[in-house]
Amino acid sequence: MYTSSPKKDTMAVLVREAEGSPLFTDERFCRQLCVESPRYGIRVVVIPIPADLAVSSIRRGYVYHQKQWKNIRIPSLDLVMNRCLRPLSRGARQQLEMYLPLGCSLYQRSWSSALPGKWEVHRVLSRSTTLRGLLAPTSRARRPVPWEIWLARWPKGLFFKPASGTHGRNTFRLSRGETPSAWIVEGRTASNENFCITFHQAEDVSSWLESHQAVQKMIVQPYLELSHQGRAFDIRALVQKNGQGRWALTGCMVREGAEGSLTSNLHGGGNAYPAEAYLIERYGKVRTASLLLQIRHYAALIPPLLESRFGRLAELGLDFGADADGQLWLIEVNSKPGRTSFAEAQDEHMHALTYTQPLAYARYLLQQYVLADVSRPMKMPNSSSKAGLKRIPIPGG
């Protein structure tokens, strides 16, 4: 068992417990954080969160030492980065708070807040007149689902996705078949496998949607033709806070879905490409320059707007789509973005920023707030005069 003398500043990275070696998800990102963390005066401890706390408790973590993962007892924690895609249970939060300084809550010592479901995020963004035209029409799929009315309004089809889903799982398109009495549902299952069902009775479509909606809350949008040479693609813009607590656009990558896939998620078998070269092939240099300028503009507007509603954020994955005419759409915002697409980038500096910026921002938080004042919650960097941040005005926001 590995032991070491405790360091003053320790940041926990919470990930989901998994089978295999090591016994947790997101291993590559966690390893990169551990390797780079000494440069920032931080020790990183990875803490797997069990699926069932009634069976096992949160007592041990992992550190990366001499190119191996070593099991250790969880030390006192100064900061917590939560990479778990599902919300922590009350029991998990209570156990983790045992390792925080006395009187501190997990909320106070969190590296970043988490965004709520897609519907809540859409509602906040749609209040900005500047951003409204960037958003596809979106509705909650309440029961009974008025799919026939929606399909008459959007004849290219309807796109359903879970209000809190990830990686393209359980997403599907509903469209008309070749005959007036045929409807096709095609998408991805919970295990990210393709499926396609044809219905010949409207009642059967309604029943299927009802059963699907009963399992999890869904949102619905008009299906947008966001593809290139028959493959769905989107543009992932990663925005992160740096060592001065300011938002910066780390870079953009295109994620292209597998052939026949409705989504561009890499977990469904897609590939990643540098954004500029891919978009030039699709739209030409002039239109590509305009698209990338728009993305940079919106990447400056969206993070402060979401922070003002949902609390301090540290990084966001902004997923944009572009249709055949080159119109830009905001597809989704993720407060726990993956980095797989950036790992495939040809720009090593951009890839390095994806894991060094989180450490630089952690160092900033520890210097500015946590160690200086442990009795009160950390202030919002965007609203604190001590943070030294330049506010970004949001026209019409």
Side-chain angles (χ1 to χ4, degrees), residues 146-158 174-176 183:
W147 63 272
E148 291 177 282
I149 297 174
W150 287 339
L151 200 54
R153 185 184 308 166
W154 301 312
K156 288 186 178 181
L158 309 175
L174 169 62
S175 60
R176 296 186 184 278
W183 297 270

Side-chain angles (χ1 to χ4, degrees), residues 69-113:
W69 288 106
K70 306 294 184 179
N71 187 311
I72 66 166
R73 292 185 62 86
I74 297 176
S76 177
L77 305 176
D78 299 295
L79 201 61
V80 178
M81 176 192 292
N82 182 5
R83 292 285 300 172
C84 296
L85 297 180
R86 294 181 180 178
L88 295 175
S89 66
R90 182 179 179 182
R93 294 195 303 271
Q94 289 175 339
Q95 290 191 40
L96 289 167
E97 286 177 349
M98 295 171 57
Y99 302 103
L100 298 178
L102 187 64
C104 288
S105 69
L106 193 60
Y107 173 78
Q108 294 167 356
R109 291 303 179 108
S110 288
W111 174 78
S112 176
S113 300

Side-chain angles (χ1 to χ4, degrees), residues 18-182:
E19 297 180 357
S21 179
L23 299 173
F24 54 84
T25 59
D26 221 357
E27 188 273 342
R28 182 174 184 174
F29 176 57
C30 292
R31 173 164 34 91
Q32 291 167 330
L33 288 180
C34 288
V35 170
E36 294 292 331
S37 60
R39 294 175 50 202
Y40 298 86
I42 297 172
R43 178 172 66 159
V44 170
V45 177
V46 180
I47 302 179
I49 305 300
D52 188 356
L53 289 176
V55 176
S56 56
S57 58
I58 304 173
R59 294 183 179 179
R60 308 200 69 83
Y62 291 85
V63 295
Y64 195 72
H65 179 69
Q66 295 181 348
K67 298 184 178 182
Q68 291 185 356
W69 288 106
K70 306 294 184 179
N71 187 311
I72 66 166
R73 292 185 62 86
I74 297 176
S76 177
L77 305 176
D78 299 295
L79 201 61
V80 178
M81 176 192 292
N82 182 5
R83 292 285 300 172
C84 296
L85 297 180
R86 294 181 180 178
L88 295 175
S89 66
R90 182 179 179 182
R93 294 195 303 271
Q94 289 175 339
Q95 290 191 40
L96 289 167
E97 286 177 349
M98 295 171 57
Y99 302 103
L100 298 178
L102 187 64
C104 288
S105 69
L106 193 60
Y107 173 78
Q108 294 167 356
R109 291 303 179 108
S110 288
W111 174 78
S112 176
S113 300
L115 292 177
K118 296 179 179 66
W119 173 247
E120 290 80 4
V121 172
H122 174 84
R123 289 188 63 190
V124 169
L125 295 178
S126 63
R127 292 171 188 159
S128 167
T129 55
T130 302
L131 298 175
R132 204 167 293 157
L134 186 67
L135 308 174
T138 303
S139 299
R140 283 189 289 185
R142 299 180 181 275
R143 290 185 288 173
V145 180
W147 63 272
E148 291 177 282
I149 297 174
W150 287 339
L151 200 54
R153 185 184 308 166
W154 301 312
K156 288 186 178 181
L158 309 175
F159 192 70
F160 290 79
K161 51 188 174 182
S164 58
T166 59
H167 301 155
R169 294 185 177 95
N170 285 324
T171 59
F172 58 90
R173 175 192 182 189
L174 169 62
S175 60
R176 296 186 184 278
E178 295 181 356
T179 64
S181 60

